[in-house]
Amino acid sequence: MLSKKTKYGLKALSNIARKQSDSPVLISDIAEEENISRKFLEIILLQLKNSGFLGSKKGKGGGYYLLKKPEDITVADLIRVLEGPIALLPCVSLNFYEKCDDCKDEKTCSLKAFMIDVRDSTLEILEKRTLADLT
Amino acid sequence: MLSKKTKYGLKALSNIARKQSDSPVLISDIAEEENISRKFLEIILLQLKNSGFLGSKKGKGGGYYLLKKPEDITVADLIRVLEGPIALLPCVSLNFYEKCDDCKDEKTCSLKAFMIDVRDSTLEILEKRTLADLT
DNA sequence: CATTACCCTAGTAATTCAATAGGCTTTATG
DNA sequence: CATAAAGCCTATTGAATTACTAGGGTAATG
């Protein structure tokens, strides 16, 4: 299951993408429209900014805006930034690999091959879909 | 990512399945072979027993054994018992449905349709693979 | 009847989640 | 230049979850 942070982040980006306006979108507007705590949303949008998905403008008339076209932002990339690894086990993660400390020998692990299949099948859909697919 | 409980549970079942012996398998043997804390493993195996996947025999010569053939136990069912919902959001879970409290209207949610697609694509693989596929 | 091996209840340290609080800095505009 | 608007930054916190640990109870076998 996704954390609320990820869910809120996706909803917020979808909200901004839907507007397609020239002027930046206010945190407060997103918070109200999507029923998200304003302060919590601040943290999330800041993270999306620091990860290069959003730009911001301070002061009056400021707000957040997309740095790329929605169809150029994959859901996989967003989930990696907001939630972390997509794989079910750290030892089969492409972007966040870590050795399982209980595994005596990774080569003979009974789960690994299967988990790689699951990962690939998940990536198949998450890397094809983009922000533009989130209405 | 799967919790350690789920990972340990799958490894333990795979261990029992691999043995295919008539005599039950000891908790201690599994714990040692798979590098799992013995006490933690007790809890996990008990849960798998209460969920109908394993049977047990007490006393000398006791241990745990499978109640079904490995090829009749889907990974999806195991993950549901050990980990919980497979869907990424509660509102698209088939077995653990819950309304999102931030959603003003589920019908117009920007994420729902997409999350249903992800769920279906995940189930596609998790319901086809069985314990027999976990070496 | 003693040993073996599963069963059951409790507790707990560490981490993560989901915020909340409060002030600071930057910018546009009158 | 003053003021209001709007994002930025730091710190804290309550609740829940995770990953165990401790210690004994109970049933079956030989």
Side-chain angles (χ1 to χ4, degrees):
Chain A
M1 300 269 281
L2 298 176
S3 64
K4 291 201 173 179
K5 191 173 105 178
T6 303
K7 181 171 68 163
Y8 293 165
L10 294 177
K11 279 191 171 187
L13 286 163
S14 160
N15 183 296
I16 297 175
R18 257 191 328 269
K19 284 176 181 154
Q20 296 185 322
S21 75
D22 285 344
S23 53
V25 183
L26 302 189
I27 295 183
S28 312
D29 285 355
I30 303 172
E32 200 191 336
E33 287 164 26
E34 306 291 342
N35 259 318
I36 303 170
S37 140
R38 191 233 140 102
K39 277 293 192 180
F40 192 23
L41 186 57
E42 270 189 24
I43 298 170
I44 298 167
L45 294 181
L46 207 49
Q47 192 181 344
L48 287 169
K49 184 197 161 190
N50 292 332
S51 317
F53 294 102
L54 290 175
S56 70
K57 216 182 139 190
K58 287 185 187 174
K60 196 169 186 178
Y64 281 99
Y65 50 89
L66 293 176
L67 287 178
K68 298 188 216 170
K69 282 182 290 180
E71 51 272 20
D72 291 335
I73 304 175
T74 72
V75 180
D77 284 339
L78 292 175
I79 289 184
R80 283 199 190 96
V81 162
L82 292 164
E83 188 79 16
I86 286 167
L88 292 182
L89 293 181
C91 64
V92 298
S93 171
L94 295 172
N95 294 266
F96 300 84
Y97 172 86
E98 264 182 75
K99 192 177 167 303
C100 290
D101 41 358
D102 59 294
C103 241
K104 283 176 179 166
D105 178 14
E106 228 176 83
K107 289 192 189 70
T108 60
C109 172
S110 57
L111 304 184
K112 186 158 181 175
F114 172 75
M115 291 301 170
I116 287 178
D117 286 354
V118 175
R119 178 201 69 195
D120 288 343
S121 129
T122 306
L123 284 180
E124 176 69 21
I125 180 165
L126 292 186
E127 302 207 302
K128 273 189 184 135
R129 306 294 190 96
T130 70
L131 190 48
D133 295 309
L134 302 183
T135 315
Chain B
M1 299 270 278
L2 297 177
S3 64
K4 292 201 171 178
K5 190 173 106 179
T6 302
K7 182 171 65 163
Y8 293 163
L10 294 177
K11 280 192 169 184
L13 286 163
S14 159
N15 183 296
I16 297 175
R18 255 189 332 267
K19 283 174 182 159
Q20 294 186 326
S21 74
D22 284 345
S23 54
V25 183
L26 302 189
I27 294 183
S28 312
D29 286 355
I30 303 173
E32 200 192 336
E33 288 163 26
E34 306 291 344
N35 258 319
I36 303 169
S37 140
R38 191 234 141 100
K39 277 293 190 179
F40 193 24
L41 186 56
E42 272 190 22
I43 298 171
I44 298 167
L45 294 182
L46 207 49
Q47 191 181 345
L48 287 169
K49 185 198 162 192
N50 292 332
S51 317
F53 293 103
L54 290 175
S56 70
K57 217 182 141 188
K58 287 186 186 174
K60 194 165 186 180
Y64 280 99
Y65 51 90
L66 293 177
L67 288 179
K68 299 189 216 170
K69 282 182 290 182
E71 51 273 18
D72 291 336
I73 303 176
T74 72
V75 180
D77 284 339
L78 291 175
I79 290 185
R80 284 200 190 95
V81 161
L82 292 164
E83 187 79 14
I86 287 168
L88 292 182
L89 292 181
C91 64
V92 299
S93 170
L94 294 173
N95 293 266
F96 300 84
Y97 172 86
E98 263 182 76
K99 194 178 165 302
C100 291
D101 42 357
D102 59 292
C103 240
K104 284 176 178 166
D105 177 15
E106 228 177 80
K107 290 193 189 70
T108 60
C109 171
S110 57
L111 305 184
K112 186 158 180 173
F114 171 75
M115 292 301 170
I116 287 178
D117 286 353
V118 175
R119 178 201 70 195
D120 288 343
S121 127
T122 305
L123 284 180
E124 177 69 21
I125 180 164
L126 293 186
E127 303 208 301
K128 272 189 186 132
R129 305 296 190 94
T130 70
L131 190 48
D133 295 309
L134 303 183
T135 318

